[in-house]
């Protein structure tokens, strides 16, 4: 579905990505892991088109999208959910969600999808008339994910959906990400919460200093001593149980 | 001048009417500020161009006044979008806002202002042109105490209210309006919603210039149309926008009305020869009491 070939990108003269290769196939959840400042968000921005490529190529469903503007990529089905703080605070919850469906013309289907988002995140239905600036951190995170769903994505990219949230809220959000994936949307999730991300995902990439360090199946990565050493601590069993309960 | 309640009422009515026009120009300045993060210093010239376009359409082409008004708005919007597309876009793309990088934008605005004034001199000459609009079908308003409000003021009030409500409806209840608000708040996220951000910025610029043109055509019959008219209007509208709180749209209108009333009262009761000072007196007073302006919202809730 998505092919990233030797991508170099950054900001101004500062090069952050130094030759990233990535291949994401249809369906399932893929996670991109790495510490702060390793280029995770930069890669997402390069894929969604917010920053131009310095070198390399990105193709989506066989189509070269390297030169497309961000809004054109959204029309193709590549939707990036930004970090939680970036809802539109002066718009109501429902306005935010409707804005997510901006590229779509199928009014009836948009209504159905709106209901679906409310079913996924019932708290949003309760707060639909509220300005999104009044929501809690977890609620805003649900809102931006719901807004991403409204675009009817083929591939949904999530930028640290667990950041600064309570463990219980994270579990709820991850369970819903799983539901979205089961409905046939390919998901690329960037995380710092490595353990949870590897339990959720089927495949993982680990990025460091702008290049992909390791890649592989999630259950393999979680046992990998190098990964364990640099990222993981403690047991994975409790998280796993929490996810399965949902 | 002797003080009596009737003339006070009259000054306030005229002040509000002229103030709403300041407000409309301020609305455009605020819109551009929200959408492009720049202060558009050539906006007074858009107002002046709009007035001339209206004059040409009404007098030379012979269109009825309301049609000339709409025509002037459309032409000015196109001119504005062209200016944005050709000159401002490459500068805003560099970003910067009010940092040193944003200075280029401010200087470009000033340059555009000077250039447009000179183009106007070249086309229309230095003389003030009277704008004789046929407004016989508009009723004069009679207020108690022998106050008579002339047609042009009545029309200005009506059209201003229509424009404000149209803009409000557009921003609040239409899809492009939603997109404009999204772009005003954050361009990157707007992009990720699938919004064509450069197109929306052009749209914002066009709407703002159309508003300025409307103000120009409305002011035309009250005063006269001349090349240097834009400078003072920019200053007043700027004062109105700041008084109301920069970036706030309701604030722009309220600020405009306050500036209009304040300067009319000042002219009536203090000194008419210093009429243009009062707007800035008000500006300084408001900034001393509330530096963010009356409706300036700290949390950057824009549009």
């Amino acid at each position: 579905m998505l092919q990233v070939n030797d991508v170099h990108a950054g900001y101004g003269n500062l090069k952050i990505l130094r030759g990233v290769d990535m291949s994401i196939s249809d369906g399932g959840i893929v996670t991109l892991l790495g510490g702060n400042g390793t280029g995770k968000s930069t890669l997402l921005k390069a894929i969604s088109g917010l920053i131009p490529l310095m070198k390399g190529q990105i193709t989506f469903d066989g189509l070269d999208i390297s030169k497309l503007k961000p809004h054109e990529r959204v029309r193709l089905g590549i939707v990036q959910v930004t970090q939680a703080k970036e809802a539109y605070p002066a718009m109501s919850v429902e306005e935010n969600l409707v804005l997510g469906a901006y590229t779509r013309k199928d009014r009836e289907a948009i209504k159905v999808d709106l209901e679906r988002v409310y079913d996924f995140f019932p708290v949003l239905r309760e707060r639909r008339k509220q300005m999104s600036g009044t929501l809690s951190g977890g609620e805003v995170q649900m809102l931006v994910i719901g807004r991403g769903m409204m675009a009817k994505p083929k591939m949904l990219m999530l930028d640290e959906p667990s950041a600064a949230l309570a463990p219980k809220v994270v579990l709820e959000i991850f369970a819903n990400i799983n539901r979205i994936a089961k409905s046939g949307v390919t998901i690329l999730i960037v995380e710092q919460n490595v353990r949870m991300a590897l339990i959720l995902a089927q495949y993982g990439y680990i990025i460091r200093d702008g290049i992909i360090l390791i890649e592989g199946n999630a259950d393999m990565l979680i046992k990998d001593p190098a990964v364990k050493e640099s990222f993981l601590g403690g047991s994975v069993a409790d998280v796993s149980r929490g996810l399965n309960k949902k | 001048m002797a003080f009596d309640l009737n003339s006070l009422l009259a000054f306030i009515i005229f002040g509000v009417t002229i103030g709403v026009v300041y407000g409309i120009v301020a609305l455009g300045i605020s819109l551009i500020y929200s959408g492009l993060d720049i202060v558009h210093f050539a906006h007074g010239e858009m107002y002046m161009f709009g007035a001339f376009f209206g004059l040409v359409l009404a007098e030379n082409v012979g269109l009825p006044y309301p049609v000339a008004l709409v025509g002037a708005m459309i032409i000015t919007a196109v001119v504005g979008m062209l200016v944005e597309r050709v000159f401002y876009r490459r500068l805003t793309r560099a970003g910067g806002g009010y940092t040193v990088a944003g200075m280029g934008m401010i200087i470009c605005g000033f340059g555009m202002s000077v250039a447009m004034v000179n183009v106007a001199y070249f086309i229309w000459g230095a003389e003030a042109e009277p704008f004789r609009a046929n407004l016989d079908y508009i009723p004069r308003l009679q207020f108690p105490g022998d106050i008579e409000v002339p047609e042009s003021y009545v029309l200005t009030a009506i059209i201003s209210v229509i424009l404000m409500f149209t803009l409000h409806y557009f921003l609040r209840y239409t899809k492009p309006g939603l997109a404009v608000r999204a772009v005003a708040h954050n361009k990157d996220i707007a992009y990720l919603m699938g919004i064509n951000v450069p197109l929306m910025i052009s749209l914002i610029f066009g709407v703002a210039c159309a508003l300025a043109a409307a103000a120009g055509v409305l002011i035309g019959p009250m005063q006269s149309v001349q090349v240097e008219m834009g400078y003072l209007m920019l200053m007043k509208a700027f004062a109105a926008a700041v008084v109301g709180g920069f970036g706030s749209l309701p604030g722009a209108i309220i600020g405009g009305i306050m500036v209009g009333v304040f300067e009319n009262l000042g002219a009536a009761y203090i000194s008419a020869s210093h009429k243009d000072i009062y707007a800035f007196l008000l500006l300084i007073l408001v900034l001393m009491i509330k530096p963010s302006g009356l409706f300036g919202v700290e949390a950057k809730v824009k549009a």
Side-chain angles (χ1 to χ4, degrees):
Chain A
M1 176 174 248
L2 184 85
Q3 291 284 342
V4 176
N5 298 326
D6 190 32
V7 159
H8 296 242
Y11 307 92
N13 289 327
L14 181 67
K15 190 186 262 191
I16 305 223
L17 302 179
R18 299 178 297 130
V20 172
D21 293 298
M22 209 178 203
S23 170
I24 296 176
S25 52
D26 241 327
I29 303 176
V30 175
T31 184
L32 175 65
L33 305 166
N36 270 329
T38 51
K40 303 188 302 289
S41 297
T42 311
L43 181 54
L44 286 200
K45 283 182 189 166
I47 296 172
S48 63
L50 287 180
I51 55 170
L53 302 187
M54 293 168 178
K55 201 183 144 194
Q57 190 195 39
I58 299 175
T59 62
F60 185 71
D61 283 343
L63 185 76
D64 183 2
I65 59 165
S66 315
K67 295 268 186 294
L68 293 187
K69 295 263 181 216
H71 63 272
E72 294 162 335
R73 302 190 196 193
V74 174
R75 278 167 209 278
L76 292 177
I78 306 173
V79 175
Q80 184 188 348
V81 172
T82 50
Q83 294 193 350
K85 53 185 184 287
E86 294 169 332
Y88 287 110
M91 290 182 195
S92 70
V93 166
E94 191 148 308
E95 276 182 313
N96 262 286
L97 292 174
V98 169
L99 194 63
Y102 182 80
T103 52
R104 295 169 59 186
K105 304 254 183 284
D106 44 345
R107 281 170 183 237
E108 291 309 310
I110 289 174
K111 270 186 203 145
V112 173
D113 280 357
L114 193 61
E115 285 307 311
R116 187 164 151 256
V117 170
Y118 287 147
D119 285 342
F120 271 49
F121 304 105
V123 67
L124 294 183
R125 191 199 301 275
E126 283 166 38
R127 308 210 186 284
R128 52 199 264 224
K129 296 281 171 227
Q130 244 169 279
M131 291 294 125
S132 67
T134 65
L135 301 183
S136 75
E139 288 161 357
V140 176
Q141 184 59 57
M142 295 174 197
L143 176 59
V144 292
I145 293 176
R147 195 171 65 183
M149 287 165 68
M150 292 299 292
K152 215 171 194 173
K154 285 184 191 158
M155 190 177 89
L156 191 64
M157 300 192 286
L158 300 159
D159 197 353
E160 295 196 27
S162 76
L165 297 181
K168 208 180 142 206
V169 182
V170 174
L171 270 182
E172 186 187 342
I173 286 172
F174 272 39
N176 275 312
I177 292 172
N178 212 6
R179 278 172 79 187
I180 298 171
K182 290 227 167 80
S183 73
V185 179
T186 308
I187 291 186
L188 174 59
I189 179 171
V190 161
E191 260 304 331
Q192 291 213 21
N193 191 336
V194 172
R195 195 149 29 106
M196 283 210 59
L198 283 176
I199 292 165
L200 182 74
Q202 287 91 45
Y203 201 83
Y205 288 87
I206 291 173
I207 189 169
R208 183 181 286 171
D209 295 333
I211 47 170
I212 299 291
L213 204 63
I214 316 170
E215 64 173 286
N217 289 326
D219 47 359
M220 188 201 85
L221 284 179
I222 213 161
K223 292 187 204 113
D224 190 300
V227 177
K228 214 169 202 167
E229 193 189 329
S230 45
F231 292 118
L232 299 171
S235 133
V236 297
D238 47 341
V239 186
S240 189
R241 267 201 305 276
L243 265 181
N244 289 335
K245 253 196 311 199
K246 277 278 165 176
Chain B
M1 178 180 279
F3 181 84
D4 72 281
L5 213 58
N6 281 337
S7 55
L8 176 68
L9 185 65
F11 293 131
I12 291 179
I13 290 172
F14 288 113
V16 168
T17 320
I18 200 89
V20 171
V21 179
Y22 294 156
I24 287 178
V25 180
L27 212 52
I29 293 176
S30 263
L31 259 181
I32 293 178
Y33 172 73
S34 308
L36 287 80
D37 293 316
I38 61 163
V39 177
H40 186 218
F41 283 103
H43 214 61
E45 278 58 49
M46 292 296 171
Y47 156 82
M48 176 264 290
F49 263 58
F52 271 108
F53 288 142
L55 184 71
V56 168
L57 289 177
E59 307 245 311
N60 300 15
V61 183
L63 295 175
Y65 182 76
V67 181
L69 176 88
V70 174
M73 287 174 72
I74 294 171
I75 299 173
T76 313
V78 171
V79 169
M81 286 195 271
L82 218 64
V83 166
E84 188 271 329
R85 186 74 190 75
V86 176
F87 297 100
Y88 296 157
R89 183 163 298 179
R90 47 195 87 219
L91 285 163
T92 43
R93 206 184 286 136
Y98 294 108
T99 60
V100 178
M103 272 310 282
M105 197 54 238
I106 290 174
I107 293 164
C108 186
F110 272 123
M112 186 54 61
S113 160
V114 174
M116 286 179 72
V117 164
N118 283 287
V119 168
Y121 269 127
F122 187 72
I123 303 175
W124 292 296
E127 268 166 56
E129 313 259 350
F131 196 144
R132 283 175 298 267
N134 175 21
L135 300 171
D136 292 339
Y137 47 90
I138 307 284
R140 282 170 173 255
L141 275 192
Q142 295 287 345
F143 280 87
D146 280 347
I147 303 167
E148 202 182 47
V149 180
E151 300 91 336
S152 58
Y153 281 75
V154 176
L155 187 72
T156 299
I158 295 171
I159 290 179
S160 304
V161 170
I162 293 175
L163 285 175
M164 283 185 286
F165 276 96
T166 311
L167 184 68
H168 177 79
Y169 179 85
F170 168 73
L171 287 175
R172 201 48 62 176
Y173 301 108
T174 69
K175 209 170 153 185
L178 194 65
V180 165
R181 284 159 62 205
V183 170
H185 182 76
N186 185 322
K187 285 169 201 55
D188 275 1
I189 303 176
Y191 253 138
L192 295 178
M193 299 292 108
I195 295 168
N196 188 342
V197 174
L199 187 72
M200 285 302 145
I201 286 179
S202 277
L203 181 68
I204 291 172
F205 214 86
V207 168
C209 290
L211 287 172
V217 180
L218 289 174
I219 288 280
M222 295 183 201
Q223 302 166 3
S224 54
V225 179
Q226 54 145 329
V227 170
E228 298 283 355
M229 70 195 280
Y231 165 73
L232 207 56
M233 175 52 95
L234 176 77
M235 291 297 154
K236 301 258 177 80
F238 197 76
V242 176
V243 164
F246 225 94
S248 157
L249 299 188
I253 294 291
I254 307 249
I257 291 174
M258 284 178 69
V259 168
V261 171
F262 198 79
E263 85 174 6
N264 250 356
L265 293 181
Y269 295 109
I270 304 172
S271 154
S273 54
H274 297 102
K275 188 167 183 261
D276 295 329
I277 292 178
Y278 303 119
F280 306 104
L281 214 58
L282 178 69
L283 176 67
I284 292 166
L285 278 176
V286 169
L287 287 185
M288 273 164 59
I289 299 162
K290 198 162 181 297
S292 58
L294 294 178
F295 293 83
V297 188
E298 255 82 353
K300 220 185 171 193
V301 180
K302 294 194 297 187

